[in-house]
Amino acid sequence: MLPPLLEKIARAKVLVVGDAMLDRYWYGDVERISPEAPVPVVAVKEAKELPGGAANVARNVRKLGAACTLFSISGDDREADSLEQLLDKDDIHCRLERDKLVNTTVKLRVVSKHLHQQMLRIDFDSPVSKDARVKLLDNYLKHLPEYDAVIVSDYGKGGLSNIQEMIQAARAVSRPVVIDPKGDDYSGYRGANLITPNRKEFEQVAGRFRDDADLERRAVKLIQDLDLGGILVTRGEKGMSLVQKGGRALHIPARAQEVFDVTGAGDTVIAAIGCAWAVGSGLEDALQLANIAAGIVVGKLGAATASPAEILHELSLQEG
């Protein structure tokens, strides 16, 4: 039952650790094609900044009602200042390990307001230093027991090279760990309670699957090889597929609705599951919460969140 679950989540404390970034949006109108090249000309009318990556996961956690802290690595720059200010406005405690040798990761999206369409994305990345990674791990190990659950948001930016130590430390104090994975090698996630790849990410590691039964077989092998509690594969319009240790599988259809923007939907899913597990929820209720919340955010433009009020409203529509 989701109403009692949402009430419990309001008393939870969730730790998010991972690759935080700053999302910049430039909104404008597209009315002509450039004479210099066959590309649309966007006349920018509005600019906006939002927390991105692991910071967007933290934002989703807080919106669901749980207290949230974010541990991440950033540059020592204006973008890091902006990120901290944005998170502070959302009442999210933020500990950034600032590295003077790198730039804070920024994703710039150019969006046509008229077309409700993303026209271009530009990424600004730089490598993370070993010193910053060690400081992040030390801070994590020191404060881990203060939280009810851990969400690891890996965007492959290099800040999580010590992820195995993080998982083992969480297991030692009986804290569930949910991971949004990246890359073609999942060995670093060994021992996690749940990983949440999308279909493309899962197939990159486990191989292309033909049908649900084939997905389940491949997931079971990966679970056994990496001592995982389970794998949740998010499959876009086909919903989500959960395979647990022991082979139990659950396939959840997506909610039928208009999709404006899938940006950050995976962040919403992992935030919902982490919040639910922080208060001892069963996995089926956690997945129902995640599915409804994700359905709400893809109906919005840009990286968005779903509030308890929106979730309860959507639930009432489904039950009505």
Side-chain angles (χ1 to χ4, degrees), residues 5-16 55-70 87 90-93 146-151 270-280 289 305-308 311:
L5 174 57
L6 288 167
E7 289 180 11
K8 290 180 182 177
I9 285 173
R11 300 188 292 274
K13 292 180 68 177
V14 176
L15 175 60
V16 177
N56 187 51
V57 177
R59 190 165 162 252
N60 273 270
V61 168
R62 186 70 192 100
K63 192 70 171 182
L64 287 167
C68 184
T69 298
L70 170 69
L87 291 169
D90 285 334
D91 193 26
I92 297 165
H93 178 64
E146 302 168 15
Y147 299 93
D148 303 310
V150 177
I151 299 175
I270 198 170
I273 293 171
C275 284
W277 273 6
V279 295
L289 176 64
T305 58
S307 69
I311 291 167

Side-chain angles (χ1 to χ4, degrees), residues 166-189:
M166 294 179 180
I167 294 170
Q168 295 307 320
R171 289 183 67 156
V173 293
S174 301
R175 300 298 191 271
V177 181
V178 189
I179 299 177
D180 190 357
K182 202 72 173 177
D184 58 6
D185 180 5
Y186 285 1
S187 60
Y189 309 130

